[in-house]
């Protein structure tokens, strides 16, 4: 079993398999250009959380010409709505939510500087076009691994929109957060290419 | 024949406990199925995802953190013996109160809006969705089956024609799984209802998810149908999280029921691997 042991986590003694890359967020466009659909990565550093309601407000602020409550240039946004923390926990379960609900807003945020998104599920053509144009990347985290991903989040502070509860924007510090590059900045989409390799229909 | 009394406060306490247990302790049979799949999966990305899910289930159980942050709508099945008399208040209110208590005290996410269009969060994950069945005797069994919306949104009902037969049923299930792609967080657990009426069929699909994992239908005809259909689902190549692989579903169960001479309803209830259900007998 050892060779197929999942490699992320913050425990001592656990190392990444050779093909798993460690990334430090925020990343430069140069790093993004080196990522390809199908790469597995461990992300450490700063990521922001936002779901539908926060996206709506961010886009409204941009439309009104206002400054955003955090620096979105080169930022990473994680689509998540965690469970409340137990005493002593940073956050409760914190797996990804469905990214498609953010498709209407993502191109606007990428035009403003957003470099990477973490979520689950496929993206619209408009989002993929914007990713090509802006050299951005989309990662999938494992839906249903909320307890494990929670352990990779070592700090959290609310940035804005506290009234949105679970949907407030938080600045997270993550360590060895496991993710897969699903759509790279050339627009290659693992959701479209990978299943065909394993299909045995007929 | 005597009447047995049950105080509804016992129901409330049981429901609260079951909400927390269902959300933090993965069914041991599903855990085993995940573990086996993580060894058998052909895709390396798929293997790493399945290993994450195995580890996740262990962390959730050890720390009391929910398996997934979508702790769901609380779907409750109450099987009530006809010789039971409830005391101390309303049974229905006790079930709702148990859900509120479990979701609040258990640090679970409150994901329910009170009105489908005006959408204000009710703040305590109520109301529950309750299905009652009255049976002979003086027993009372209650099952809490929290359901996340990612997979619920991809569930489907098809009103087929009888002439579409077994092929039609298979195609309906494969269509639902294909269209769900990554959205229902594969590996899936699939409940299929066949027959009945429009609403009965959907309920059959849900009930199919309550059957113990690994226990095929008692009817050999349907048991074969289940095994064959699960294999076909796994040939789709969708794989863990839709990123390709041989593990698209861990389990599939079919519940058939009598239907009209002119109809063949098929309901496909998709569930992620977090196919939660916990029961208590009072
Ligand atoms: S489908 Fe299941 S695993 Fe995925 S987010 Fe919903 S409850 Fe969690």
């Amino acid at each position: 079993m050892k060779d197929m042991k999942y490699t992320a986590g913050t425990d001592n003694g656990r190392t990444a398999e050779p093909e798993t890359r460690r990334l430090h967020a925020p990343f430069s466009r140069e790093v993004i250009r080196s990522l390809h659909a199908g790469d597995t990565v461990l992300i450490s550093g700063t990521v922001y959380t936002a779901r539908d309601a926060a996206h709506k407000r961010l886009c409204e602020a941009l439309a009104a010409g206002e400054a955003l409550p955090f620096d979105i240039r080169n930022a990473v946004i994680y689509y998540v709505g965690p469970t409340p923390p137990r005493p002593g926990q940073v956050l409760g379960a914190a797996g990804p939510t469905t990214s498609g609900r953010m498709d209407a807003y993502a191109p606007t945020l990428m035009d403003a500087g957003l470099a990477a998104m973490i979520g689950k599920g496929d993206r619209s053509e408009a989002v993929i076009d914007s990713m090509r144009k802006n050299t951005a990347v989309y990662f999938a985290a494992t839906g249903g691994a909320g307890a494990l991903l929670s352990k990779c989040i070592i700090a959290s502070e609310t940035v804005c929109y506290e009234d949105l509860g679970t949907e407030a924007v938080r600045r997270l510090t993550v360590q060895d957060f496991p993710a897969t590059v699903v759509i790279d900045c050339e627009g290659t989409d693992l959701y479209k290419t990978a299943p065909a390799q394993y299909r045995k229909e007929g | 024949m005597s009447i047995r009394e049950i105080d509804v406060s016992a129901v409330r306490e049981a429901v609260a406990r079951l909400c927390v247990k269902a959300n933090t302790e993965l069914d041991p049979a599903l855990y085993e199925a995940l573990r086996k799949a993580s060894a058998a999966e052909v895709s390396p990305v798929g293997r790493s995802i399945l290993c994450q899910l195995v580890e996740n289930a262990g962390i959730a159980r050890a720390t009391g953190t929910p398996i997934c942050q979508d702790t769901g709508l609380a779907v409750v099945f109450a099987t009530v013996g006809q010789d039971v008399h409830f005391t101390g208040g309303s049974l229905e209110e006790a079930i709702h109160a148990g859900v509120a208590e479990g979701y609040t005290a258990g640090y679970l996410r409150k994901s329910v809006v009170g009105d489908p269009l005006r959408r204000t969060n009710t703040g305590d994950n109520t109301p529950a969705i309750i299905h009652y069945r009255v049976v002979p005797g003086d027993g009372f069994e209650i099952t809490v089956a929290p359901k996340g919306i990612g997979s619920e949104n991809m569930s489907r009902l098809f009103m087929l024609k009888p002439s579409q037969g077994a092929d039609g049923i298979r195609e309906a299930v494969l269509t639902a799984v294909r269209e769900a792609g990554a959205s229902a967080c594969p590996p899936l657990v699939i409940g299929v209802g066949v027959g009945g009426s429009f609403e009965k069929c959907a309920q059959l699909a849900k009930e199919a998810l309550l059957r113990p994992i690994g226990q095929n239908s008692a009817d050999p005809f349907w048991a074969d149908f289940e095994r064959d259909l699960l294999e076909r689902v796994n040939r789709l190549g969708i794989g863990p999280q839709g990123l390709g692989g041989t593990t698209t579903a861990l389990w599939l169960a079919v519940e058939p029921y009598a239907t009209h001479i002119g109809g063949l309803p098929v309901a496909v209830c998709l569930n992620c691997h977090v196919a939660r259900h916990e029961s208590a007998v009072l």
Side-chain angles (χ1 to χ4, degrees), chain B residues 4-266:
Chain B
R4 186 163 79 102
E5 292 201 338
I6 297 178
D7 194 300
V8 295
S9 65
V11 177
R12 191 193 73 233
E13 282 161 25
V15 168
R17 188 168 50 75
L18 295 173
C19 288
V20 178
K21 187 162 194 269
N23 271 300
T24 53
E25 298 180 19
L26 188 67
D27 175 352
L30 266 177
Y31 181 83
E32 254 325 284
L34 266 183
R35 234 180 39 75
K36 280 206 188 111
S38 71
E41 173 57 55
V42 172
S43 145
V45 170
R47 271 202 304 276
S48 114
I49 288 164
L50 293 168
C51 289
Q52 285 180 34
L53 294 178
V54 170
E55 186 168 357
N56 182 68
I59 294 171
R61 186 178 285 267
T63 62
T65 305
I67 303 162
C68 178
Q69 72 288 338
D70 186 352
T71 50
L73 277 165
V75 180
V76 175
F77 295 87
T79 307
V80 186
Q82 64 193 32
D83 300 330
V84 173
H85 174 226
F86 291 98
T87 60
S90 146
L91 171 63
E92 182 131 347
E93 277 167 25
I95 293 174
H96 293 311
V99 168
E101 199 175 301
Y103 274 74
T104 307
Y107 299 93
L108 305 179
R109 202 177 77 185
K110 289 78 180 172
S111 315
V112 177
V113 292
D115 180 279
L117 268 186
R118 286 166 290 182
R119 307 198 77 83
T120 305
N121 196 305
T122 61
D124 60 7
N125 221 54
T126 63
I129 292 167
I130 310 174
H131 303 290
Y132 296 100
R133 218 174 117 226
V134 179
V135 297
D138 65 359
F140 177 72
E141 183 174 1
I142 193 146
T143 299
V144 177
K147 185 69 164 76
I149 202 69
S151 54
E152 193 75 342
N153 276 344
M154 306 317 288
S155 297
R156 300 278 301 270
L157 182 68
F158 301 83
M159 301 304 283
L160 302 184
K161 296 179 187 70
S163 61
Q164 289 175 275
D167 282 344
I169 299 171
R170 285 191 280 262
E171 200 37 51
V173 172
L174 295 176
T175 298
V177 173
R178 240 187 252 119
E179 287 179 3
S183 304
C185 294
L188 306 171
V189 172
I190 305 171
V192 184
V194 178
S197 52
F198 179 76
E199 85 287 3
K200 173 72 179 176
C201 192
Q203 201 172 331
L204 288 170
K206 266 265 139 108
E207 283 166 9
L209 292 171
L210 302 180
R211 204 197 297 156
I213 304 294
Q215 185 185 307
N216 280 108
S217 173
D219 177 339
F221 172 85
W222 285 107
D224 283 345
F225 192 91
E226 289 171 342
R227 281 189 281 263
D228 170 72
L229 190 47
L230 177 60
E231 226 172 80
R232 287 171 196 256
V233 166
N234 283 324
R235 287 205 295 262
L236 289 175
I238 293 167
Q241 301 292 309
L243 296 175
T246 47
T247 316
T248 300
L250 296 169
W251 176 244
L252 181 149
V254 182
E255 284 296 332
Y257 195 79
T259 192
H260 191 281
I261 48 172
L264 178 57
V266 178

Side-chain angles (χ1 to χ4, degrees), chain A residues 52-120:
Chain A
D52 328 27
H55 272 75
K56 185 157 179 273
R57 288 197 196 174
L58 292 170
C59 287
E60 282 165 0
L62 285 170
E66 292 163 20
L68 294 186
F70 62 94
D71 189 359
I72 197 154
R73 286 166 305 166
N74 294 327
V76 183
I77 289 185
Y78 178 27
Y79 303 141
V80 60
T83 59
R86 289 177 169 273
Q89 264 187 327
V90 174
L91 284 180
T97 192
T98 304
S99 306
R101 292 199 316 272
M102 270 54 79
D103 280 0
Y105 310 109
T108 307
L109 297 186
M110 282 188 269
D111 287 342
L114 178 69
M117 299 155 285
I118 310 173
K120 68 168 172 103

